[in-house]
Amino acid sequence: MSSLAARPRVVLVPGRDASGAAAWPRQHGLALEFDALFLRQDAGSSLDSEEILTTLDGKPSVLIAHGEGSTAALTSAVEHPDLVRALVLCEPWLPSLTSPDPGDARAGIIPGVPTLVLSGGWEPAYERTARLLADSGAEHHVAPGGHRPQDSPQGATVIKDFLRRNA
């Protein structure tokens, strides 16, 4: 087995519904292959991009985010694409993408940052966001699991395959 320092870093950013490793029940095994960091947050709050970038400590990493955590992950990639090797956005909550008048808040995929969007196929607003990101160049997959497609065996496999190609 390779040393932890030699493995690509994967930082998992929770949404509002859970924190730390508990937010990622199907991704615990990533720690066998990657330097996996499961971020924690206070109950009912969301991490911001500054907290994520501080955690990266200058080491290029893959960010995996769920729900509202996707906003901070995407912002981190926009602010420091040199530190974000790839993005995985699970059921991303990005209201600026789907608002009727997003103005200059409309985010696109960051050039040079491979991006996977995983949606659950259950809620039109999340699917609209996923389609907009896919139209900007993201890879999009629909997996069962409602708002937590990363918890389904299919979703977990899609994430792991993407990481193996892009970490």
Side-chain angles (χ1 to χ4, degrees), residues 20-31:
W24 302 95
R26 289 267 183 185
Q27 283 67 46
H28 294 171
L30 293 177

Side-chain angles (χ1 to χ4, degrees), residues 5-30:
R7 293 192 245 167
R9 179 179 283 171
V10 175
V11 177
L12 293 98
V13 182
R16 283 182 169 249
D17 58 345
S19 185
W24 302 95
R26 289 267 183 185
Q27 283 67 46
H28 294 171
L30 293 177

Side-chain angles (χ1 to χ4, degrees), residues 73-124:
L74 188 59
T75 301
S76 297
V78 168
E79 292 173 354
H80 285 281
D82 55 315
L83 293 178
V84 180
R85 299 176 93 155
L87 280 169
V88 177
L89 306 174
C90 303
E91 285 280 293
W93 177 250
L94 302 169
S96 67
L97 281 179
T98 55
S99 67
D101 183 23
D104 62 359
R106 183 177 294 272
I109 296 304
I110 296 87
V113 178
T115 303
L116 167 67
V117 178
L118 186 64
S119 61
W122 68 284
E123 168 58 48

